[in-house]
Amino acid sequence: MNESTQTPMGEAVRDAMGEQIKHEFYSAYVYLSMAASFEAANLPGFAHWMRHQSKEEMEHGMKFFDFLLDRGEPVHLQAIDAPPHAYRSALDAFEQALEHEKEITGRIHDLYDLAVREKDYPAQVMLSWFVTEQVEEEKSATEVVERLRLAGDDNTALLLLDAELARR
Ligand code: FEO
């Protein structure tokens, strides 16, 4: 391949973004695993929500992938861990989803801090989209967690929420 003629990225930011591709695709795996569990539990609305979320995570991974390529940087994809596959209840799955999003928020903030320290201005602009997106991600998972807590052991409420999430 030709040597890049663009302003090079610092190694630290490049490596951290490469790592984040893996975390975004791992997130896609986590939600796909949850989708499978919901399908098996005859809750197609929750499964639909999770499938939709899984696709969004792949798009997030591709944003990092394309950003590195646009900057003329190499992309070395890393192995993705196996996700969990056993959930005690719909609430358990969504609580785990929310915890997972909080962890991703922390990773995005660390990446942003790194881009600031390294004076990587394009990376800061690109990452600011993710900072905002994480607010939305935590909000949408929190909404479902709170409604599942309201539903408690009421299966009718659970089925109503399932029907609503099918329209996501
Ligand atoms: Fe890519 Fe759900 O954050």
Side-chain angles (χ1 to χ4, degrees):
M1 296 249 195
N2 293 335
E3 207 170 296
S4 172
T5 50
Q6 291 179 263
T7 307
M9 275 176 96
E11 201 178 320
V13 178
R14 183 188 66 206
D15 290 352
M17 284 206 173
E19 174 100 12
Q20 190 61 26
I21 295 174
K22 176 184 77 177
H23 292 302
E24 298 292 347
F25 278 91
Y26 175 70
S27 301
Y29 251 32
V30 166
Y31 295 127
L32 204 53
S33 180
M34 290 176 177
S37 287
F38 281 122
E39 291 277 359
N42 295 308
L43 291 167
F46 287 99
H48 170 78
W49 193 100
M50 288 295 176
R51 275 178 194 252
H52 181 98
Q53 191 62 32
S54 182
K55 276 190 202 142
E56 272 194 10
E57 299 300 350
M58 286 185 237
E59 286 166 15
H60 293 172
M62 292 308 294
K63 278 184 193 280
F64 284 103
F65 179 89
D66 285 331
F67 184 77
L68 287 171
L69 293 180
D70 288 350
R71 298 279 300 270
E73 297 294 335
V75 174
H76 298 147
L77 294 174
Q78 300 175 17
I80 302 168
D81 289 340
H85 49 77
Y87 307 98
R88 290 189 307 277
S89 62
L91 178 59
D92 179 40
F94 270 87
E95 282 176 339
Q96 288 193 39
L98 177 57
E99 281 314 303
H100 181 70
E101 285 305 327
K102 288 180 181 171
E103 185 198 315
I104 295 293
T105 299
R107 290 186 186 281
I108 294 292
H109 290 178
D110 288 348
L111 254 173
Y112 193 93
D113 284 344
L114 180 64
V116 169
R117 284 201 305 278
E118 298 284 319
K119 295 186 165 56
D120 188 327
Y121 302 111
Q124 288 171 40
V125 173
M126 182 268 195
L127 286 164
S128 69
W129 182 88
F130 278 94
V131 172
T132 309
E133 173 68 7
Q134 282 309 120
V135 174
E136 198 51 44
E137 293 282 74
E138 288 192 26
K139 177 181 165 230
S140 54
T142 298
E143 269 172 10
V144 183
V145 165
E146 288 179 353
R147 299 185 73 188
L148 281 167
R149 285 184 184 154
L150 279 175
D153 293 332
D154 182 346
N155 279 339
T156 306
L158 183 71
L159 290 173
L160 279 173
L161 188 53
D162 186 64
E164 187 185 322
L165 294 189
R167 295 192 290 272
R168 182 184 185 186

